[in-house]
Amino acid sequence: MLDAFSRKAVSADSSGSFIGSSELADLKAFIADGNKRLDAVNAITSNASCMVSDAVAGICCENSGLTAPNGGVYTNRKMAACLRDGEIVLRYVSYALLAGDASVLQDRCLNGLRETYAALGVPTGSAARAVAIMKAAATTMVTNTNNTTEPKRKMAVTQGDCSALSAEAASYFDMVISAIS
Ligand SMILES: CCC1=C(C)/C(=C/C2=NC(=C\c3[nH]c(/C=C4\NC(=O)[C@H](C)[C@H]4CC)c(C)c3CCC(=O)O)/C(CCC(=O)O)=C2C)NC1=O
């Protein structure tokens, strides 16, 4: 598993070069935005169960076949597995956002997931849609612009521009979607 710092060392090593000034500037920016990043991770993790249940409810509303006999979440066992998978994905996205690097998500969550889903007959289109709903929710949580649920979900944080962190979080959700699609 890599983070923003070890990633720079590994890529410099692969070209046999020292860490250059542009890499150091990137890392300075990473440190300067550290508190924002922690707030962004907190925004996601404090709302995780709401985001997961909302996303799974969403796919079930959009596609009634999922809860019908032989559907993807038909039986409590499969519904429980689906909710758990949503939580796993969100947890690994939050780890990647904390580290500023996707390797933990890629290596420990997404590696082989497409094959697992194919073997079990988990409908990947619906799974990707659930991830897309979580992405929409998470990006509004990170920018603190969420107004689709109770207003109390807005967090008391120092005002600032979190658009870059929101875009970074979005890119991790996109990796999940492309890994299973
Ligand atoms: C380390 C990270 C990690 C991941 C990512 C993971 C995923 C994962 N999801 C599974 C199952 C599953 N995943 C789902 C998920 C869904 N079904 C749907 O229709 C929805 C679209 C979707 C929810 C959004 C379902 C229903 C199963 C059970 C399938 C079955 O047993 O028939 C399984 C098979 C074993 C089990 O049932 O527990 C694995 C390994 N496990 C891990 O340890």
Side-chain angles (χ1 to χ4, degrees), residues 4-16:
F5 294 88
S6 44
R7 172 74 64 188
K8 295 291 187 205
V10 167
S11 70
D13 185 36
S14 69
S15 61

Side-chain angles (χ1 to χ4, degrees), residues 5 19 25 45 59 62 74 88 101 103 142 145 151 155 175 178:
F5 294 88
I19 305 277
T45 55
I59 58 171
E62 288 173 356
Y74 178 68
I88 290 174
D101 191 277
S103 67
V142 170
T145 54
M155 301 179 83
M175 281 175 201
S178 67

Side-chain angles (χ1 to χ4, degrees), residues 2-163:
L2 298 178
D3 55 41
F5 294 88
S6 44
R7 172 74 64 188
K8 295 291 187 205
V10 167
S11 70
D13 185 36
S14 69
S15 61
S17 52
F18 287 97
I19 305 277
S21 52
S22 80
E23 283 88 3
L24 288 176
D26 288 351
L27 292 174
K28 273 190 181 164
F30 184 82
I31 294 166
D33 274 349
N35 286 333
K36 273 191 202 174
R37 186 173 290 274
L38 295 180
D39 280 343
V41 171
N42 186 31
I44 292 178
T45 55
S46 336
N47 290 293
S49 59
C50 175
M51 281 190 250
V52 171
S53 53
D54 179 63
V56 174
I59 58 171
C60 293
C61 291
E62 288 173 356
N63 177 358
S64 59
L66 283 171
T67 48
N70 298 320
V73 296
Y74 178 68
T75 71
N76 289 334
R77 181 187 67 78
K78 288 210 261 176
M79 178 58 98
C82 179
L83 287 162
R84 180 212 55 200
D85 282 13
E87 195 159 312
I88 290 174
V89 163
L90 202 52
R91 192 156 55 80
Y92 279 95
V93 166
S94 74
Y95 296 161
L97 191 61
L98 181 70
D101 191 277
S103 67
V104 64
L105 171 69
Q106 294 283 6
D107 300 348
R108 301 194 192 175
C109 179
L110 302 182
N111 184 12
L113 187 57
R114 185 204 310 261
E115 291 74 14
T116 302
Y117 278 177
L120 292 167
V122 171
T124 49
S126 294
R129 173 67 184 139
V131 175
I133 296 172
M134 292 199 292
K135 171 186 167 185
T139 50
T140 66
M141 297 294 176
V142 170
T143 52
N144 213 23
T145 54
N146 170 55
N147 57 12
T148 56
T149 53
E150 314 106 278
K152 68 173 188 241
R153 290 205 182 273
K154 286 215 189 212
M155 301 179 83
V157 282
T158 311
Q159 290 303 302
D161 179 7
C162 287
S163 54

